[in-house]
Amino acid sequence: VNDKTSNGHKNDAQTLYVAAPSKCYPININYGWIDHAFLKALAHERHVVVITDENVYALYAEILKGLDVYVIKPGEASKCLRVYGEIQAYLIEKNLTRTDTIVALGGGVVGDLAGYVAATYMRGIGFIQIPTSLLAMVDSSVGGKVAINHGAGKNIIGTFYQPDAVYIDTAFLNTLPEKERSCGMAEVIKYGLISDSALFEQLNHMVALDWQQQIKAIIYRCCEIKAEIVSKDEEDKGIRQILNFGHTIGHAVESYYHYSGYAHGEGVAIGMYMKTCMAYASKKISKQELETVRQVLEKFNLPRQVRNTNDLPSILKEVIHDKKAEGKCFKLIELKRIGETEMVSYTYESLLQRLGEINHKEMV
Ligand SMILES: NC(=O)c1ccc[n+]([C@@H]2O[C@H](COP(=O)([O-])OP(=O)(O)OC[C@H]3O[C@@H](n4cnc5c(N)ncnc54)[C@H](O)[C@@H]3O)[C@@H](O)[C@H]2O)c1
Ligand SMILES: [Zn+2]
């Protein structure tokens, strides 16, 4: 049986546009359409260098035959100045010019690194995103944030550089490890919570068997939400910050366990659940809604709480510390209801009190 039909996929391509102030570009979504011929055709029009990682290369070497490919080691550590420099040297060696194009084929690590390379090589060359992880499809490939890490922190060195196009082939998800799929779903759940209660309901009613059938439409919807936000606030000065819902706590969880206890999506899931508990404690959402959020996170194998709740006070202290540094009053993104957020102002003391209102034991 042909894979393309056995999963009930219809061969209907979908396109939407990101109308960012700096550039308007398409996002094309379909199942099973990016193959060797497609990439060859891209490389026919101009000189193309594909950047990918070893995992993706091992699985998809076939479609990359005959192309210039730079393969990095998988993982966050590759988003660094050393690898950045090595890729620049490779582009110089390949005589890439300003009219040529970098293609990022991989997850968010490849996309962020390749994007920063593309943004800076000769002051900016062509850039196409072909995301292969769910997180990259719904989040990192759209919106033009590109960066590498510095010893002092994640994404310290970066810029805004929109791609010329984003090509999403959901067939890549067939090889994505289960855990990566869950982490991508954390960002999908985020879109539902912050701006689309219907999407959240769809996730609530989704059964495992339906995943393949529904994921294309879900990715489309997430890209649509992100595209709208990015077109209003490309440089992250206002509304775009709602995309960080659950991320302040999530980052604190990730960093508390030295980036080896919880993956990004897991940290975000914990952060979102804590925010949902806060919304419940302040009577913005009902017990039933809190329960639904719990079930949805559980369905996609995402944690709601850190394994050792005794660590919680120290983790939260880190969050507050972080915010305290910004000044006396600071704003956090909170749930107003499912599908809508609001900015709430806190002082150090009021946040402490607020966090004290949630029953952390009950959260588990
Ligand atoms: N630019 C942005 O707006 C933005 C937004 C969110 C996250 N990010 C960045 O994205 C990165 C995380 O992205 P990620 O979760 O995709 O991580 P990743 O790129 O490390 O990919 C996760 C893992 O999945 C593997 N993989 C990817 N596609 C695969 C496939 N089709 N089949 C099998 N294996 C596959 C990768 O090799 C890797 O091991 C972080 O560096 C984060 O900072 C950027
Ligand atoms: Zn995230």
Side-chain angles (χ1 to χ4, degrees):
V1 188
N2 182 331
D3 215 32
K4 288 179 197 177
T5 50
S6 66
N7 290 324
H9 295 284
K10 300 222 172 60
N11 203 34
D12 45 358
Q14 288 178 294
T15 302
L16 66 136
Y17 291 87
V18 182
S22 74
K23 192 188 277 176
C24 179
Y25 57 96
I27 303 174
N28 297 318
I29 310 176
N30 206 352
Y31 181 88
W33 62 294
I34 293 178
D35 54 12
H36 184 239
F38 178 87
L39 294 177
K40 270 303 222 193
L42 268 189
H44 184 69
E45 296 158 17
R46 68 224 116 169
H47 193 159
V48 163
V49 166
V50 179
I51 299 176
T52 190
D53 74 16
E54 285 169 0
N55 294 339
V56 175
Y57 188 72
L59 289 160
Y60 299 101
E62 201 64 17
I63 67 170
L64 294 167
K65 264 192 317 202
L67 290 151
D68 285 329
V69 184
Y70 194 92
V71 185
I72 63 164
K73 292 229 171 300
E76 192 65 31
S78 286
K79 264 175 65 174
C80 68
L81 273 171
R82 182 183 53 78
V83 177
Y84 167 82
E86 285 166 7
I87 298 174
Q88 296 285 1
Y90 179 80
L91 303 184
I92 294 164
E93 181 194 313
K94 290 286 169 189
N95 289 315
L96 236 70
T97 68
R98 294 204 60 196
T99 51
D100 295 326
T101 290
I102 301 276
V103 171
L105 178 76
V109 165
V110 165
D112 279 15
L113 171 68
Y116 189 60
V117 167
T120 48
Y121 182 75
M122 295 188 170
R123 298 194 191 87
I125 61 170
F127 177 43
I128 290 174
Q129 288 267 23
I130 306 183
T132 61
S133 71
L134 180 57
L135 180 135
M137 291 179 189
V138 297
D139 195 357
S140 62
S141 69
V142 176
K145 278 193 185 177
V146 297
I148 56 176
N149 305 324
H150 184 274
K154 280 183 72 172
N155 301 324
I156 295 269
I157 306 165
T159 186
F160 292 93
Y161 195 66
Q162 303 293 340
D164 301 312
V166 181
Y167 298 138
I168 300 179
D169 184 342
T170 53
F172 283 118
L173 299 176
N174 293 338
T175 57
L176 191 69
E178 201 65 42
K179 185 168 172 180
E180 298 300 339
R181 179 185 290 200
S182 289
C183 285
M185 285 310 293
E187 304 288 353
V188 172
I189 295 166
K190 178 189 79 180
Y191 285 112
L193 288 175
I194 63 172
S195 70
D196 188 348
S197 56
L199 170 63
F200 186 78
E201 267 314 297
Q202 182 179 2
L203 299 173
N204 185 26
H205 292 112
M206 203 167 170
V207 290
L209 270 177
D210 283 350
W211 198 84
Q212 281 289 358
Q213 266 132 27
Q214 295 188 31
I215 200 64
K216 200 175 106 188
I218 288 173
I219 291 169
Y220 181 91
R221 182 63 191 126
C222 294
C223 288
E224 206 172 43
I225 296 169
K226 183 147 185 190
E228 197 192 329
I229 293 171
V230 167
S231 59
K232 284 185 191 146
D233 177 25
E234 183 175 14
E235 293 190 352
D236 207 4
K237 288 173 180 148
I239 181 134
R240 189 167 177 169
Q241 281 163 25
I242 72 168
L243 294 171
N244 290 332
F245 177 68
H247 279 59
T248 305
I249 294 166
H251 287 148
V253 168
E254 280 182 272
S255 106
Y256 185 81
Y257 297 102
H258 308 286
Y259 296 93
S260 56
Y262 295 89
H264 176 73
E266 294 175 323
V268 170
I270 291 167
M272 292 193 298
Y273 192 63
M274 204 175 286
K275 281 293 174 68
T276 309
C277 289
M278 283 166 77
Y280 170 64
S282 52
K283 301 192 170 59
K284 286 181 184 140
I285 63 163
S286 67
K287 180 95 188 169
Q288 179 56 43
E289 287 172 311
L290 173 67
E291 180 63 13
T292 309
V293 174
R294 191 186 67 73
Q295 280 167 13
V296 170
L297 291 172
E298 195 161 72
K299 179 188 299 192
F300 296 104
N301 297 316
L302 289 160
R304 301 177 302 280
Q305 183 54 281
V306 290
R307 281 178 286 273
N308 186 355
T309 48
N310 294 332
D311 294 343
L312 218 53
S314 318
I315 295 169
L316 293 177
K317 218 174 263 168
E318 213 161 297
V319 174
I320 294 168
H321 226 86
D322 222 43
K323 293 292 167 190
K324 204 184 172 187
E326 287 173 15
K328 268 198 134 178
C329 234
F330 51 85
K331 289 186 167 113
L332 288 180
I333 305 140
E334 310 243 311
L335 270 194
K336 193 170 176 188
R337 53 179 186 86
I338 297 214
E340 198 181 340
T341 57
E342 61 187 347
M343 290 291 222
V344 178
S345 278
Y346 284 104
T347 59
Y348 175 67
E349 291 75 21
S350 66
L351 180 63
L352 262 188
Q353 188 195 338
R354 195 63 191 290
L355 288 168
E357 285 165 9
I358 35 176
N359 183 342
H360 296 294
K361 289 274 183 303
E362 194 190 65
M363 280 175 63
V364 187

